[in-house]
Amino acid sequence: MGDGTRHLRRDGESALIWHLRCLTNTRTFASLDHESETSQMKRALTVKDLTSMGVGAIIGTGIFVLTGVVAHEKAGAAVALSFVIAAIVAGLAALSYAEMACLVPIAGSAYTYTYATCGELMAWIIGWDLILEYLVGAATVSVGFSHYLAAFFDDAFGWRPEPRLMNAPFAYKHDAFSLTDSWFSLPSFIIVILLTILLCRGVKSSARVNNVLVVIKLIVILLFIFGTCKWVNPDNFKPFVPPNTSGKFGEFGGSGVLRGATVVFFAFIGFDAISTAAQEARNPQRDLPIGIGLSLVSCTVLYIATSITMLGVVNYKDIAGPNKGAPFKVAIDVTGMKWLAIVCEIGILAGLISVMLVLLIGQPRIFFSMAVDGLFPQIASRLHPKYKTPVYTTAIAGTICAAAGGMFPVDLLADLTSVGTLFAFFLVHCSVLILRWKEPDRPRKFKVPFGPVLPILGALCCVGLIAVDSVSAIIRLIVWLAIGLVFYFAYGYRYSRLNNPEKYAHEHHMEVVGEHNHHLEIKGGEAVHSTSDVKV
């Protein structure tokens, strides 16, 4: 990971300068290249596979749940504009992800990119931020699952579950918490626990299963659009952008559209799954940007068509109460087509489960990457002796996620996920710019066009959306990162393999498992990775 000497204090170097230099030490490209070259992954993914992967990861709670929340509280019928703004920001980030994935084509995503460019401290910050993103993201999806499960029971069997066990005990509005009449969102908790148990036993994902789930979700959306479009009432679009009458920033008007974009940005999270498949793409220079572009454009068109249809059928003011978390049901109820509601709800439930699985699988990967680098305790790299899964981190992350899904409302969770993800995307843009300066001659199978213009624009857009987000969401992110820094300086800095290789000199071989087996060998004071296949 290092060159064997960079961690040492130099002659005449003050203690302060030495410690600061250690914080900015980066992984060498020699170790990154070795890890990539020894990978045994097949280059089998086509443009179709990559596009399907992107659509499968993107479509979830963002469209099925947050459309109603943002329309009712922030943007009205103009939620379609919020989707357009979020799509532009996501598209710019996707280009930077594609360049970094081809330049640093190994597991770890934004965490690894940052470690290779900005140094260990920034890598820790982004890794800690990604932990929050995956944890809260899965919790957000579980809340949407609870809403649609209640709707399904009502439409299919005429049974309405006890509402106090289907919704969170807290509500969140105007940057303030309030108590509701509910006790706990039991379905949100149970589904995450069940999926966590499943993942502890091992789940082998396949492109075929993913393609089937993508088809199901696309059918649901198309059925909704074409099944309800004749009930669209143009009067529901007047005014298209509701005026801000409260004087509070983010409540309708132009500021509401912008604030809505930060929330529905959650709807585009997942496209980075394409960029992390660089090693498995047949022709990454051509297929990665095409796959990313097609998936984002396809999802954006579907999101805009869905939101316009939905808010043409039902007025944004009527998507209120518990049903704001299930806007598809609210719109379909206007048409009276119960069969359509049932079919859509089954498909939505299946789609939400698939998204939760992706997020819950991704969480231990981050722990693994950081544990391999010595920034987390080695228990994070321990495997179940039979199932060969990261049972400890999976169980801990799943339990925390289940509790968050049961306790907190969907808009709060989505807002926190979005601002954390925007911060991660900002650092990926910065990584592209830094490597353009530090490694200008390094071969790139894909480069973001127009030189540094688009990465700079993308970074500014991320900062802009963070700036218009709620102050409380930004404060919660800062508090989370502050907690992470305390952990880093208490443990990670002292046990980092990059800066403390002597502590691992006795280790000749260490194995941890993420998406693939990662063999960490200590050679001449430097940790070198290699990979081989593993069942997940």
Side-chain angles (χ1 to χ4, degrees):
M1 289 184 193
D3 60 9
T5 61
R6 286 186 299 164
H7 66 288
L8 299 176
R9 187 171 175 179
R10 298 167 182 168
D11 292 338
E13 187 176 41
S14 69
L16 176 61
I17 297 299
W18 173 52
H19 286 298
L20 290 176
R21 184 167 55 80
C22 287
L23 296 178
T24 58
N25 276 347
T26 60
R27 283 192 61 180
T28 63
F29 271 98
S31 65
L32 295 171
D33 287 340
H34 179 81
E35 184 170 346
S36 177
E37 291 167 2
T38 56
S39 172
Q40 297 181 17
M41 289 185 286
K42 290 184 178 180
R43 292 194 176 275
L45 296 179
T46 64
V47 171
K48 176 184 175 182
D49 295 325
L50 292 169
T51 304
S52 177
M53 183 187 301
V55 173
I58 292 171
I59 295 179
T61 295
I63 186 63
F64 295 138
V65 177
L66 295 179
T67 305
V69 175
V70 173
H72 179 70
E73 298 180 354
K74 294 176 173 62
V79 67
L81 296 181
S82 297
F83 275 119
V84 171
I85 295 172
I88 293 173
V89 178
L92 292 172
L95 291 173
S96 290
Y97 258 94
E99 176 168 332
M100 290 303 298
C102 292
L103 195 60
V104 190
I106 61 174
S109 190
Y111 165 74
T112 303
Y113 304 160
T114 308
Y115 214 154
T117 57
C118 302
E120 183 173 282
L121 179 60
M122 290 306 298
W124 167 268
I125 290 174
I126 199 61
W128 189 254
D129 177 59
L130 289 173
I131 290 172
L132 176 68
E133 175 188 334
Y134 281 109
L135 274 177
V136 182
T140 307
V141 180
S142 73
V143 177
F145 177 87
S146 179
H147 289 156
Y148 276 103
L149 184 64
F152 172 71
F153 283 143
D154 185 15
D155 290 329
F157 307 108
W159 175 56
R160 295 185 178 181
E162 170 58 58
R164 288 175 293 185
L165 292 175
M166 302 297 289
N167 297 289
F170 300 104
Y172 184 76
K173 193 172 184 179
H174 305 312
D175 291 339
F177 285 97
S178 61
L179 291 174
T180 67
D181 295 331
S182 300
W183 298 334
F184 192 73
S185 179
L186 191 59
S188 301
F189 181 85
I190 290 176
I191 187 61
V192 174
I193 292 297
L194 290 177
L195 293 177
T196 299
I197 294 173
L198 182 65
L199 291 174
C200 286
R201 293 176 61 89
V203 173
K204 183 174 178 63
S205 59
S206 70
R208 184 175 300 173
V209 172
N210 180 67
N211 289 342
V212 170
L213 291 173
V214 169
V215 170
I216 290 174
K217 288 191 280 191
L218 291 178
I219 289 175
V220 165
I221 293 176
L222 293 175
L223 271 176
F224 174 80
I225 294 173
F226 291 105
T228 62
C229 62
K230 67 178 181 180
W231 275 272
V232 170
N233 181 1
D235 291 337
N236 288 328
F237 296 124
K238 300 176 182 177
F240 187 66
V241 181
N244 184 328
T245 57
S246 66
K248 296 181 179 180
F249 186 92
E251 292 184 13
F252 304 110
S255 64
V257 173
L258 290 175
R259 178 70 63 82
T262 66
V263 178
V264 300
F265 188 79
F266 182 89
F268 293 95
I269 295 173
F271 68 81
D272 54 317
I274 303 177
S275 65
T276 57
Q279 287 172 282
E280 299 162 275
R282 290 181 180 175
N283 186 352
Q285 185 176 15
R286 181 190 63 129
D287 295 350
L288 275 175
I290 293 177
I292 290 173
L294 285 177
S295 61
L296 279 175
V297 170
S298 300
C299 290
T300 302
V301 171
L302 288 174
Y303 285 176
I304 294 173
T306 300
S307 59
I308 289 177
T309 303
M310 178 187 301
L311 294 163
V313 173
V314 60
N315 191 278
Y316 73 92
K317 297 178 182 177
D318 297 328
I319 307 178
N323 285 332
K324 73 178 181 181
F328 273 55
K329 172 179 169 54
V330 177
I332 295 174
D333 283 349
V334 173
T335 70
M337 294 187 293
K338 183 164 287 190
W339 68 268
L340 180 59
I342 295 173
V343 170
C344 285
E345 285 154 6
I346 292 174
I348 290 171
L349 290 173
L352 294 178
I353 288 175
S354 71
V355 175
M356 279 186 281
L357 271 174
V358 170
L359 293 173
L360 291 172
I361 288 173
Q363 175 66 75
R365 280 182 179 176
I366 305 300
F367 280 122
F368 263 127
S369 295
M370 299 177 79
V372 167
D373 295 331
L375 304 182
F376 260 113
Q378 292 306 298
I379 191 174
S381 62
R382 291 182 185 174
L383 307 178
H384 190 281
K386 179 180 178 181
Y387 302 115
K388 303 300 180 184
T389 57
V391 62
Y392 294 107
T393 52
T394 300
I396 293 171
T399 302
I400 296 174
C401 175
M407 294 290 291
F408 299 110
V410 65
D411 40 354
L412 170 68
L413 294 171
D415 201 18
L416 188 55
T417 306
S418 294
V419 70
T421 305
L422 285 166
F423 179 63
F425 289 174
F426 168 77
L427 288 181
V428 172
H429 287 303
C430 291
S431 296
V432 170
L433 294 171
I434 290 172
L435 282 185
R436 291 281 184 94
W437 170 60
K438 291 177 61 176
E439 300 280 346
D441 300 324
R442 186 171 176 81
R444 289 165 170 81
K445 294 182 179 180
F446 171 76
K447 289 184 68 173
V448 179
F450 306 112
V453 174
L454 292 185
I456 292 174
L457 182 60
L460 292 176
C461 287
C462 290
V463 172
L465 283 187
I466 292 175
V468 300
D469 205 343
S470 63
V471 175
S472 57
I474 298 173
I475 291 175
R476 283 190 294 272
L477 176 63
I478 294 174
V479 170
W480 172 258
L481 295 179
I483 295 172
L485 288 175
V486 172
F487 187 94
Y488 170 73
F489 285 108
Y491 181 90
Y493 179 76
R494 296 165 57 195
Y495 290 92
S496 161
R497 290 181 179 272
L498 179 65
N499 290 314
N500 303 279
E502 67 281 355
K503 292 186 177 181
Y504 303 92
H506 65 284
E507 296 183 9
H508 298 290
H509 182 81
M510 185 191 80
E511 178 182 11
V512 295
V513 178
E515 183 181 9
H516 308 279
N517 276 345
H518 289 260
H519 300 286
L520 186 68
E521 301 177 29
I522 307 299
K523 295 182 178 180
E526 179 171 354
V528 180
H529 291 260
S530 62
T531 60
S532 61
D533 294 337
V534 67
K535 293 190 296 183
V536 178

